[in-house]
Amino acid sequence: MFKILMPCHAQAMPSLCLNSLPLPPSSHTRKLTETFSPSYSSSYFASASTLLSNSSSRGEALKPIVVNGSPPTFVSAPGRRIIAVGDLHGDLDQARFALQMAGVLSSDGEDLWTGGETVLVQLGDILDRGEDEIAILSLLRLLDVQAKDVGGAVFQVNGNHETMNVEGDFRYVEAGAFDECGAFLEYLSDSGNDWEEAFLGWISASEKWKEDRKIFRSNWGPWNLVKRQKGVIARTALFRPGGPLACELARHSVVLRVNDWVFCHGGLLPNHVAYGIERMNKEVSSWMRGFNGGDSNPNIPFIATRGYDSVVWNRLYSRDNSDLDDYQINQINAILQDTLQAVGAKAMVVGHTPQMEGVNCKYNCSIWRVDVGMSSGVLNSRPEVLEISDDKARVIRSKREKFSELLVVDYL
């Protein structure tokens, strides 16, 4: 029997400086471009190390990152290189591939942050359709701890599959993911229920667990059903509102603005902005933590998490334009521009809908779509990431199955 007596994590202060020591102001102020041209300006091959072209590499001191909101809603990250990574769906190998391509994760198996002062934003849907969900969550938090030590940061936004699991909707959970939940609870217990130690350590411990699982899997026989039932119980305990992993997800936003860019899983609409993006973030976080004025069944924040036009489910900006007529395209563009103006952003980055053509932009590059279906549980496609740096947005993708040869496409 699993027993969890884990309180939710204490909420962070509304405003937090991620760098412990203030730095002198930068002598060069960066400004993101007002508009983007969808045409390629150049394409070339480069190693991951050459992609780390931020101000610090040129000897310039950057101002500290400042976060407002709990969970984070508005982030000021002057001069930082920003990397956006789409849906990962429980595929740890592909997640590592993408992060190594982006130059933020070491390729030596040590899971070390190599991004310096880079800001990494993951667009949600880490859960479902894969077997290494908790391991990916653990990896990203471990990288965040390391990144903060050197002036960088890692942010995550919750997607529809995160909210579905907190609701108890396990339709898309793989058998191995149920097993991972059971194994993680045992590891947490062995760690004396020290959440930070267990959660940060799971990315390493899970490798040994997976090896052991391969050895003993063939011997489960009639115990499979019992094991699966234990996995369902473990997942329910971990992800129910107020459960340890629900509280971990509660640290993340559903909408995040970094400098002049806004990030969300599905898509932001004018009525969402009018409702209040910080308000939505707080409501989703409170629901995941199980806080609702003593109500044992906290109300689900519908405008953010339920319905085709909610923040995590909206696909308006991700539709294939070939299926739309000019009137519809103009309508969508008008909605997008109204949204960006209302939120004070120049462009939006979304995941949620796999893009067969890879990471791309539409509507004069006011919207970027970064879900490429890289998980083996979705399309098992070649990983791609979006980089925003020096007034340019560019797509980084591997030409072949090697980290050493990357195709970089600039968008001015």
Side-chain angles (χ1 to χ4, degrees):
M1 178 72 67
F2 297 111
K3 184 177 182 181
I4 298 184
L5 300 174
M6 299 287 297
C8 276
H9 310 291
Q11 296 198 40
M13 296 297 291
S15 180
L16 173 67
C17 176
L18 294 185
N19 306 104
S20 56
L21 296 176
L23 298 174
S26 171
S27 59
H28 173 69
T29 301
R30 298 183 178 195
K31 184 179 180 183
L32 297 175
T33 51
E34 295 283 344
T35 59
F36 301 93
S37 168
S39 60
Y40 298 134
S41 63
S42 66
S43 64
Y44 55 93
F45 297 102
S47 67
S49 61
T50 65
L51 302 177
L52 292 173
S53 55
N54 55 32
S55 294
S56 60
S57 67
R58 296 191 294 269
E60 298 177 11
L62 297 178
K63 293 180 180 179
I65 297 173
V66 177
V67 178
N68 285 280
S70 177
T73 302
F74 304 104
V75 176
S76 173
R80 262 58 172 200
R81 170 181 181 255
I82 302 171
I83 290 290
V85 179
D87 305 32
L88 299 175
H89 281 299
D91 193 326
L92 181 59
D93 290 340
Q94 291 283 67
R96 282 188 167 129
F97 195 153
L99 297 175
Q100 289 168 11
M101 274 189 352
V104 299
L105 176 67
S106 63
S107 58
D108 58 5
E110 296 299 318
D111 293 328
L112 300 177
W113 173 260
T114 58
E117 293 171 301
T118 296
V119 170
L120 170 66
V121 182
Q122 198 282 322
L123 272 295
D125 275 12
I126 288 171
L127 302 183
D128 292 340
R129 297 195 168 99
E131 298 188 344
D132 294 303
E133 307 160 308
I134 306 174
I136 296 175
L137 289 168
S138 173
L139 173 62
L140 290 174
R141 180 101 104 77
L142 180 65
L143 292 178
D144 183 41
V145 171
Q146 298 175 44
K148 287 176 179 175
D149 286 341
V150 293
V154 177
F155 296 99
Q156 297 169 244
V157 297
N158 286 317
N160 60 301
H161 283 269
E162 279 72 45
T163 61
M164 287 168 67
N165 274 269
V166 178
E167 291 179 45
D169 185 344
F170 298 158
R171 281 177 293 169
Y172 302 101
V173 180
E174 292 291 318
F178 282 118
D179 293 344
E180 187 192 27
C181 287
F184 175 73
L185 270 187
E186 292 178 3
Y187 180 71
L188 177 61
S189 177
D190 292 342
S191 300
N193 283 331
D194 185 325
W195 176 258
E196 291 297 304
E197 177 184 340
F199 189 63
L200 292 175
W202 179 246
I203 181 60
S204 176
S206 66
E207 298 293 340
K208 183 180 185 303
W209 166 72
K210 283 191 291 185
E211 289 300 317
D212 292 344
R213 181 171 175 261
K214 289 178 184 178
I215 295 173
F216 295 108
R217 179 184 292 181
S218 60
N219 297 324
W220 289 345
W223 293 103
N224 275 343
L225 179 59
V226 174
K227 188 174 183 65
R228 187 56 32 78
Q229 289 174 334
K230 289 179 65 177
V232 172
I233 293 170
R235 193 174 188 89
T236 301
L238 287 168
F239 283 105
R240 62 173 175 76
L245 279 177
C247 289
E248 187 65 30
L249 296 178
R251 299 161 57 101
H252 309 152
S253 315
V254 289
V255 182
L256 178 72
R257 197 187 78 191
V258 181
N259 297 339
D260 295 324
W261 293 73
V262 63
F263 301 85
C264 57
H265 181 69
L268 199 62
L269 299 172
N271 65 300
H272 299 148
V273 183
Y275 187 82
I277 60 176
E278 187 168 12
R279 178 183 176 187
M280 284 191 297
N281 284 340
K282 287 182 177 179
E283 287 179 352
V284 174
S285 180
S286 293
W287 164 60
M288 289 182 166
R289 293 172 186 271
F291 297 160
N292 198 45
D295 190 340
S296 60
N297 295 299
N299 293 324
I300 297 170
F302 277 75
I303 192 168
T305 67
R306 279 286 189 91
Y308 71 94
D309 60 347
S310 65
V311 177
V312 301
W313 282 99
N314 179 23
R315 298 186 194 269
L316 182 66
Y317 308 128
S318 300
R319 295 174 62 184
D320 186 346
N321 282 19
S322 64
D323 296 333
L324 305 173
D325 58 35
D326 290 344
Y327 175 75
Q328 291 173 312
I329 291 173
N330 290 336
Q331 273 194 319
I332 294 172
N333 186 45
I335 293 171
L336 174 59
Q337 299 309 320
D338 287 347
T339 304
L340 292 175
Q341 182 177 6
V343 79
K346 296 176 181 177
M348 187 186 305
V349 184
V350 298
H352 189 41
T353 305
Q355 302 295 306
M356 298 302 183
E357 61 183 297
V359 173
N360 64 85
C361 66
K362 296 295 180 183
Y363 306 106
N364 202 25
C365 284
S366 292
I367 188 77
W368 285 86
R369 294 97 71 92
V370 299
D371 178 14
V372 296
M374 71 178 80
S375 169
S376 58
V378 184
L379 299 178
N380 199 29
S381 65
R382 176 180 59 183
E384 301 184 10
V385 301
L386 177 68
E387 180 193 57
I388 304 163
S389 180
D390 281 336
D391 295 335
K392 296 178 182 177
R394 61 184 184 177
V395 180
I396 303 173
R397 61 175 67 102
S398 66
K399 184 183 179 185
R400 293 194 293 269
E401 296 301 316
K402 293 182 180 180
F403 300 127
S404 58
E405 293 192 52
L406 307 179
L407 175 62
V408 182
V409 183
D410 285 358
Y411 291 74
L412 293 180

